[in-house]
Amino acid sequence: MIEPLLPEPLLPETLLTVEGLTKRYGHRLACDSIGFTLDHGEVLAVVGESGSGKSTLLSLIAGEVAADAGSVSYRMRDGATRDLATLSEAERRALMRTDWGFVRQDATQGLRMAVSAGGNVGERLMGVGDRHYGRIRATALDWLARVEIAADRVDDPPTRLSGGMRQRLQIARNLVTAPRLVLMDEPTSGLDVSVQARLLDMIRGLVAELGLAVIIVTHDLAVARLLSHRVLVMRSGRVIETGLTDQVLDDPQAAYTQLLVSSVLAA
Ligand SMILES: Nc1ncnc2c1ncn2[C@@H]1O[C@H](COP(=O)(O)OP(=O)(O)OP(=O)(O)O)[C@@H](O)[C@H]1O
Ligand SMILES: [Mg+2]
């Protein structure tokens, strides 16, 4: 039995509402009317086979890809709920920089490869208005230490870091501005099993400590079990099943989820 990530929220409050999100590529429906809500501090795992629309869903939520239909609303820090489609591009970018994080599967998309490790973290602080070099450097070093990147690597660009270090650097870069919502697309895939386990442990600790709301895309049900409160199972762009993580993984209702769960057990 895995202990819960966080205590039950006393006053669950919706942070994000996704309704009817739909995206077509030609005749293919990459996302077909996806809907869910996410509370403050809640972790939702989006699982499903390759091509089921998981990454498209994150891109739609982040506003990087325009939806054909549907909406995403978000409770801003001032308490107002905004339909993200009504934000200007500058407002959307500011929100992404200050209140959201996005950890990519491919670190080359999530990091600036020509900038040092310290710079990758520091520039995010500049992005939220910090202009004090000493403080920026100290905070960047502090975050690098938190994600177990040694101080003597601070001037190395990501090209000189290992795959696991790059993912940890992405985490530092995304969390340094204290976001409330973090999107993660397969943050541990492509890494050795032991590196994966350490990274997952680190993410789990930070999520619990910082009370982050997270949408984590993974094809790995073990990751969903370890990290999430709720699971959304996607297939061919549709939500096949959704529920509390232990409920969905221990007692799957949809035939497809049963297959996913049993194929993991058989593996
Ligand atoms: N830019 C694009 N142009 C055309 N088709 C696309 C584009 N992006 C995604 N698709 C298609 O949309 C569907 C969903 O893709 P998506 O990348 O969201 O899947 P996924 O669940 O993230 O898969 P994976 O686990 O392999 O990352 C796939 O059929 C894919 O080929
Ligand atoms: Mg993907």
Side-chain angles (χ1 to χ4, degrees):
M1 226 20 225
I2 289 174
E3 72 278 14
L5 270 174
L6 302 164
E8 294 290 320
L10 289 176
L11 275 176
E13 188 183 58
T14 303
L15 183 66
L16 184 84
T17 304
V18 171
E19 282 178 308
L21 262 194
T22 299
K23 179 68 189 176
R24 278 185 204 85
Y25 287 113
H27 65 280
R28 181 177 289 119
L29 266 171
C31 284
D32 184 2
S33 204
I34 310 283
F36 63 88
T37 61
L38 187 73
D39 283 352
H40 283 277
E42 190 173 34
V43 183
L44 176 73
V46 177
V47 304
E49 65 197 5
S50 181
S52 56
K54 306 179 301 292
S55 295
T56 304
L57 175 61
L58 289 191
S59 307
L60 290 169
I61 291 170
E64 293 177 348
V65 163
D68 293 313
S71 66
V72 179
S73 7
Y74 182 70
R75 194 177 163 91
M76 311 293 271
R77 279 185 191 261
D78 65 7
T81 297
R82 293 283 302 270
D83 177 342
L84 296 188
T86 67
L87 299 184
S88 68
E89 182 57 17
E91 283 176 319
R92 186 188 72 81
R93 282 175 178 276
L95 179 70
M96 297 295 131
R97 224 174 29 234
T98 56
D99 212 21
W100 291 32
F102 200 158
V103 176
R104 317 273 174 165
Q105 173 172 2
D106 177 357
T108 63
Q109 285 176 20
L111 295 172
R112 295 231 288 140
M113 300 307 280
V115 173
S116 68
N120 262 283
V121 180
E123 73 172 15
R124 290 297 284 246
L125 291 167
M126 301 268 292
V128 296
D130 201 328
R131 290 292 180 272
H132 188 283
Y133 177 77
R135 189 170 52 222
I136 290 172
R137 189 169 170 88
T139 309
L141 279 173
D142 184 43
W143 265 96
L144 290 178
R146 287 182 81 166
V147 299
E148 297 171 10
I149 294 177
D152 64 358
R153 307 304 295 267
V154 67
D155 295 321
D156 282 354
T159 44
R160 281 196 228 135
L161 304 181
S162 69
M165 283 166 99
R166 287 183 194 180
Q167 291 308 69
R168 298 204 300 277
L169 180 59
Q170 275 206 80
I171 288 168
R173 177 176 160 91
N174 278 281
L175 298 191
V176 70
T177 55
R180 294 185 304 160
L181 173 63
V182 182
L183 311 179
M184 298 187 181
D185 196 351
E186 304 272 11
T188 61
S189 70
L191 302 173
D192 286 353
V193 174
S194 62
V195 176
Q196 236 181 52
R198 262 182 64 205
L199 184 57
L200 278 175
D201 218 42
M202 177 177 289
I203 294 174
R204 189 176 144 88
L206 287 169
V207 166
E209 179 192 333
L210 304 172
L212 298 174
V214 178
I215 303 175
I216 181 167
V217 159
T218 177
H219 63 271
D220 186 343
L221 297 187
V223 171
R225 191 183 281 281
L226 190 70
L227 273 178
S228 70
H229 299 110
R230 280 195 299 136
V231 171
L232 192 116
V233 184
M234 285 185 71
R235 187 188 195 188
S236 308
R238 293 209 184 86
V239 176
I240 295 288
E241 182 161 1
T242 181
L244 297 173
T245 301
D246 60 337
Q247 179 191 8
V248 171
L249 298 187
D250 294 341
D251 185 21
Q253 300 300 304
Y256 175 69
T257 319
Q258 288 168 2
L259 195 68
L260 273 186
V261 170
S262 63
S263 61
V264 169
L265 293 178

